[in-house]
Structures are given as C-alpha cells and as structure tokens.
Amino acid sequence: MVNDTSISLTTPVMATYSRFPITLVKGKGSYVWDDQGNQFLDFTSGIATCNLGHVPDPVKEKLEEQLQNLWHCSNLYNIPNQQQLAALLTAISCGDQVFFCNSGAEANEAAIKLARRYANKVKGSSSSEVVTFGQSFHGRTLATLTATGQEKIQNGFAPLMPGFSYLPYNDETALEQLVTIKPAAVLLELVQGEGGVIPANQLWVTKLAQICKENDILLMVDEIQTGIGRTGTFFAYEQYSIEPDVISIAKGLGSGFPIGAIIAKEEAAKGFEPGSHGSTFGGNPLATAAGLATVTHIIESNLLEQTKEAIDYLDQQLYLLNQKYSFIKEIRGKGLLKGLVVDTNALEIVQEAISNQLLILTAGPNVVRILPPLTVTKEEINKFIEALEKTFQSIEKGE
C-alpha cells in the first residue's frame, strides 16, 4: 500500500494540496515519468486538461514557433492568434463572441460578472442573483467558491459573496423556484465532475432551459471539465439539445497551457464593453497559440470520431469489471469522464493504484474518477483495466 498522501517535509510552497508521494518530471501521450524513472499510465489527464495527451506534437510545434516571435503583449492591441481562436470557437459553438482569460475559475468569474452587468446595464434590471446547484464546483475565487454548491469548498471563507442561491441538482420540481427568484442567470455543469461525476438528467435540463427562456434568465453552462471533447462531443451541451447564452471553458483548451474563456451569444455579450472587464495575460500570444493548435487538431484530425470508439470500448471494459467486483455500485458519467461509485474508500483505491503504475482520481469519498486523454488507445485501456484489477485485488485482500 502507498503511505499517506501528504509530504511531511517543510517546503516553501504553501500547503494547499495533499500531494501524492511521487514527483513527475516528464510526460508523453498517455504516460508520465517520475524523477526515479518510473512510468505511470495517466488516466487523470491533469484533471481533464491534457485532452490530447502530454506534450502533443501539434501544440508543441505551434508553441515553439510562437516562442520565436512574441510572448506577451497587451490586449490594447490586436492579437492574431486570439482573433483566429475566437473565430474557431464561435464557428463550432452556439456563441458569437469570446472573452479570454487564464483559468476555469476566471472564466466562471467572467460569466458571473457578465450576467450581473447584462442584467443591470442592458436589461435595466435590479436582479443580480445567480442560481447554481448542490454539489456543483465552479472554482476557488471568492465569487466562484460561493457559486460552488459544496460547504467543504466554502469552509473558512466567510463572509461569502452575496447574490447566489442554490437549488438541488436534477430536481425538476425545484426549478419552479426560478420563477419566484427571478435571477439574472443560472450556472450549471452538465456533468458534475468534482461533485461526484453526476450527469444532468435530460428532462431536467430541457425544463431548465425552457424556464430560462420564458423568464429571460441567462443560461450559463460551465464546460470547464466537460468541454473540448471530454464527453464525446466538443461541448457537452450538444448532447442535451440546448443553446446556452454563455459557455465557460478552460482545462483542455490549451492542452495544459493555462488558458480560459467564455463564449457568449451576441445579446449576452452586450453586457461587456471597453473597460468593463479585462485580463493582463488573458488571450496572450502563447496561450492562444496553444488553444488554436489544440482546437484545430481536434477538428482537422477528426479526433472525436476516434474518441467515440475509445469511449465504447472503455464502457464495455468497465461494465465487465462491474460484474466482477461487488463493491462497484455504479458506473456513471459521459464520454471519457467516468466515475466508479464504490462502497469503499475511493482515496485508498487511488493510492493503491499508484503502486500499480496507474494514476486516477477521486470525486468525493466514494467515487473513483477516470479521465484518460481523448487519444487513448484500446491497448492503453487494456493496461488500465489490468492495473485497476490488480488494485482491486489488493484492496480486497487488505494488503
């Protein structure tokens, strides 16, 4: 068994993470290596970030090219990569305009600000309320941790930001409260990643979208973890037959290079004007080079068609695994965002998997989260299943 996760040595790095006792120094494709030369099969993808695997050649080449020219310039000037990436994102989504930032939390922060300013300046409404849902996760800034529907994330940060309400996830009856609350916007994940890998119910989403449309409420979808092909389509909302007013993205957009964005429909985008929001590093030449290379490669290589085959094969193998181990109670999620609900300690499984050269994650105390890259092969899925079985066998024997 791998010992406790935290590093006991005092370091100059703040203790905001309980780190596993390995030091990763290299990655390529679905694999990473530690400083001792040990190879691990990485089914975390940097928490749904390295969707093309580690150090993908098309992105590496674009970044190397950009490094020779310009690293940073102010958003007071036009940035060609930014313009091209924005055009590409609007072409493949239901949105019309893009704001670039540096992370998922910043993207959701921008979405919240846009919703409030749109309500105030465009609609002339006094409402600034944003409704989110229980077990959601939207980030760790003061606004986005307040938007997050989990007390453990909010613990110790009182007073929280005003202007947020919470409804139970996947509860159709509770949606009627939106008519009474009359919020400026609703913000939701279509698969709650950190909250337990819980997909939204189709009927619930349909009703939510209808209520938002009928009551002039902005519908904002957090695609930080589900976007950029993670669920089998470029955006998860495509599988629900809805058109959000605002989409927040990050993680997989830059293949590991920090970048975030919101994509908004033209009407919602009116909430921002020069001076109303900004970011020093958002949309800089390097970040948008990575984003442009990532999105272009996914489209031009027809990667999502290959990914569908991997999804089907992974689903089959997980189903067979479920038949063999009684402590697996449910398999849920979408695409290559999977959660195994277990009746044992999920962290213990994740820790033991490291001993079998496999990296996986938790999503709460009893959910094992599985996030292979979109480029994963059948051979790598077979290796994953083999390592996971070894892990389960050790857990059952109490080793």
Side-chain angles (χ1 to χ4, degrees):
M1 298 283 288
V2 172
N3 293 326
D4 195 76
T5 61
S6 58
I7 294 177
S8 59
L9 297 176
T10 300
T11 78
V13 178
M14 284 192 182
T16 54
Y17 304 97
S18 293
R19 300 180 192 268
F20 295 106
I22 55 175
T23 301
L24 301 180
V25 296
K26 179 184 175 182
K28 189 64 180 176
S30 298
Y31 296 92
V32 290
W33 288 261
D34 69 9
D35 58 350
Q36 304 302 308
N38 298 308
Q39 177 181 288
F40 298 86
L41 180 61
D42 184 6
F43 267 44
T44 75
S45 297
I47 313 184
T49 296
C50 301
N51 284 6
L52 300 184
H54 292 279
V55 196
D57 290 337
V59 182
K60 178 184 176 183
E61 291 167 7
K62 186 71 174 178
L63 281 170
E64 288 176 340
E65 177 186 328
Q66 187 61 50
L67 279 167
Q68 303 304 314
N69 296 313
L70 183 66
W71 296 13
H72 175 76
C73 69
S74 168
N75 276 296
L76 294 173
Y77 310 103
N78 293 315
I79 300 173
N81 289 341
Q82 188 180 117
Q83 297 288 334
Q84 293 174 46
L85 180 54
L88 203 53
L89 290 172
T90 54
I92 61 175
S93 72
C94 63
D96 301 300
Q97 294 186 343
V98 181
F99 171 82
F100 290 106
C101 51
N102 306 289
S103 68
E106 285 187 33
N108 282 331
E109 186 90 17
I112 292 164
K113 287 182 68 176
L114 179 64
R116 287 186 171 185
R117 202 169 192 281
Y118 174 78
N120 182 265
K121 295 293 186 178
V122 178
K123 290 173 56 180
S125 169
S126 60
S127 174
S128 62
E129 198 84 0
V130 174
V131 171
T132 65
F133 298 91
Q135 291 304 116
S136 60
F137 181 85
H138 298 294
R140 293 184 183 273
T141 66
L142 273 176
T144 57
L145 73 83
T146 304
T148 292
Q150 298 185 55
E151 288 186 9
K152 68 178 183 180
I153 304 297
Q154 300 170 346
N155 185 33
F157 295 107
L160 298 179
M161 295 286 289
F164 291 90
S165 298
Y166 313 93
L167 294 178
Y169 193 67
N170 277 335
D171 185 330
E172 287 187 53
T173 303
L175 293 178
E176 298 297 340
Q177 295 179 46
L178 290 172
V179 180
T180 304
I181 298 171
K182 295 180 180 179
V186 169
L187 175 63
L188 78 152
E189 300 158 282
L190 292 169
V191 181
Q192 291 187 328
E194 295 286 340
V197 193
I198 306 170
N201 177 276
Q202 176 66 66
L203 292 177
W204 179 76
V205 172
T206 300
K207 182 173 182 178
L208 171 59
Q210 181 180 357
I211 290 174
C212 286
K213 185 175 182 179
E214 291 174 351
N215 292 273
D216 198 18
I217 301 167
L218 289 183
L219 178 60
M220 308 197 300
V221 174
D222 178 343
E223 295 255 16
I224 307 301
Q225 191 160 161
T226 57
I228 324 299
R230 174 57 52 185
T231 63
T233 50
F234 210 95
F235 301 103
Y237 79 78
E238 298 172 67
Q239 299 178 44
Y240 287 89
S241 300
I242 61 170
E243 288 197 358
D245 297 294
V246 181
I247 308 156
S248 52
I249 55 175
K251 287 189 178 289
L253 180 57
S255 292
F257 202 95
I259 183 172
I262 57 170
I263 311 169
K265 287 194 170 184
E266 184 177 7
E267 178 63 20
K270 292 177 182 177
F272 281 166
E273 58 188 4
S276 58
H277 193 45
S279 170
T280 296
F281 296 108
N284 70 68
L286 280 173
T288 47
L292 186 58
T294 299
V295 176
T296 299
H297 179 72
I298 292 173
I299 294 170
E300 293 185 351
S301 68
N302 204 25
L303 179 60
L304 294 185
E305 284 302 313
Q306 302 171 43
T307 300
K308 286 177 183 177
E309 295 181 16
I311 291 168
D312 290 342
Y313 188 66
L314 178 61
D315 286 346
Q316 293 168 13
Q317 297 307 306
L318 289 176
Y319 173 80
L320 294 174
L321 204 65
N322 192 18
Q323 304 306 302
K324 294 177 68 173
Y325 295 93
S326 60
F327 60 78
I328 302 176
K329 297 305 178 184
E330 184 183 357
I331 300 171
R332 62 193 185 202
K334 281 186 177 294
L336 294 179
L337 170 51
K338 287 290 191 291
L340 302 185
V341 183
V342 295
D343 65 0
T344 187
N345 188 325
L347 180 58
E348 186 179 357
I349 293 174
V350 171
Q351 291 173 316
E352 181 61 31
I354 294 174
S355 300
N356 294 306
Q357 281 70 57
L358 173 65
L359 304 184
I360 48 181
L361 297 166
T362 62
N366 69 331
V367 179
V368 175
R369 188 168 22 158
I370 300 162
L371 296 159
L374 308 185
T375 53
V376 69
T377 65
K378 286 186 177 181
E379 179 185 5
E380 289 165 347
I381 291 173
N382 289 337
K383 288 182 179 180
F384 159 71
I385 294 295
E386 181 182 351
L388 198 57
E389 284 217 65
K390 287 182 181 178
T391 300
F392 287 166
Q393 289 164 7
S394 296
I395 295 292
E396 284 189 329
K397 292 176 183 177
E399 296 180 355

